[in-house]
Amino acid sequence: MRSLIAFPCAGETLVGTLDAAASTTGLLIVSGGNEIRCGAHRGMAVLAARVAAAGHPVFRYDRRGIGDSTGENHGFLSAGPDLFAAAAAFRAHAPGLEAVVGYGNCDAASTLALHGRAAGVDRLLLANPWTVEDRDALPPRAAIRATYRQRLTSPSAWRRLLTGRIDIARAIQGLQKAAAPSPQDLGRRVVAAIDGWGTAVEVVLATGDATAQAYAALAGRRDAVRIDTDSHSFARPDDRRALGDAVLAALARSAGDERRG
């Protein structure tokens, strides 16, 4: 059964969606960027339905200033109170819960890594964690390097260059950015927070996604689950299926930990 729930956060009202189910291990979905709780291409709503059908309750919500929630949106670094309020609402409306797995993509993954423990989340599954502080319109440095490595071995790319079909000015900007040292204070903070979860965190990376490439270059995490796609939001049917499999596996591991505990 799917129901809407309103709950307080710092003087504002947040709105969430609960998919009820019988398991004592539930999934808390945090939306990335400025997405509403249904997610890009309704991906989080579809994921919630699949997880609930497998027996696990699911809660997802709009943070302040997004979707149905009141207040002002100050970005993911200010979203800790929203996460705390959502986790508390989840437990209040699913009183049989014994363990909560947090899932987030992009900067939602970073929010969970930084604030999940304080919110009472037990385990994390993080997709394409956001580690980039750049303010220009170019992709992250790691993504630029990956692109140029591919182009150097591509005859078609050389033909495009020689026939003037590549924006030379933008290419030069990209090369300059790829060669320049990167400010990594945010990245190091997020990577350290993720590593601090130890075995209670799993990372999923879309192999062709620029955000995932930036995280992988900084973290060097070899145990990440890799999904062969360039879709940041895992929008294609096979991507969505693979992501759902990873989420259900994380929930099963958390449930197993609870039984052993």
Side-chain angles (χ1 to χ4, degrees):
M1 184 177 68
R2 179 167 285 180
S3 57
L4 295 180
I5 294 170
F7 56 99
C9 174
E12 302 293 344
T13 299
L14 306 189
V15 176
T17 300
L18 174 66
D19 286 71
S23 174
T24 58
T25 299
L27 180 69
L28 176 62
I29 297 177
V30 181
S31 295
N34 295 319
E35 292 175 2
I36 60 176
R37 63 189 182 275
C38 70
H41 315 286
R42 296 193 69 254
M44 296 303 95
V46 172
L47 175 64
R50 178 181 174 187
V51 171
H56 298 278
V58 185
F59 191 74
R60 49 199 166 85
Y61 64 98
D62 294 333
R63 73 171 184 238
R64 285 170 291 175
I66 299 293
D68 295 320
S69 296
T70 67
E72 295 185 7
N73 174 21
H74 293 292
F76 78 99
L77 289 175
S78 299
D82 308 71
L83 176 60
F84 303 157
F90 190 14
R91 289 187 181 276
H93 289 87
L97 275 181
E98 296 177 6
V100 172
V101 176
Y103 169 74
N105 187 14
C106 195
D107 61 30
S110 302
T111 296
L112 279 164
L114 293 167
H115 302 296
R117 283 198 189 280
V121 177
D122 300 286
R123 179 185 286 273
L124 299 181
L125 181 68
L126 307 179
N128 308 322
W130 182 257
T131 58
V132 182
E133 291 184 288
D134 300 325
R135 295 291 183 264
D136 57 37
L138 295 171
R141 286 163 176 78
I144 293 173
R145 293 180 184 125
T147 297
Y148 277 98
R149 279 195 299 269
Q150 182 182 28
R151 286 180 177 175
L152 286 172
T153 60
S154 170
S156 63
W158 283 104
R159 282 195 296 272
R160 290 175 60 208
L161 175 64
L162 294 173
T163 56
R165 287 183 291 161
I166 287 180
D167 185 336
I168 297 297
R170 185 175 174 84
I172 291 172
Q173 289 179 335
L175 288 169
Q176 290 173 336
K177 179 173 180 177
S182 172
Q184 294 180 337
D185 289 346
L186 173 65
R188 292 193 183 99
R189 182 182 170 199
V190 170
V191 169
I194 292 173
D195 291 345
W197 283 78
T199 59
V201 64
E202 298 166 67
V203 175
V204 177
L205 300 177
T207 57
D209 173 59
T211 301
Q213 291 168 349
Y215 169 78
L218 189 59
R221 194 177 187 105
R222 296 183 178 179
D223 60 346
V225 175
R226 286 174 164 80
I227 297 176
D228 187 16
T229 181
D230 60 0
S231 174
H232 179 71
S233 58
F234 305 96
R236 301 182 184 95
D238 287 348
D239 306 341
R240 187 174 292 175
R241 191 176 304 110
L243 175 63
D245 291 345
V247 168
L248 289 173
L251 287 162
R253 280 188 281 272
S254 184
D257 290 345
E258 286 298 310
R259 286 193 294 270
R260 286 191 292 272

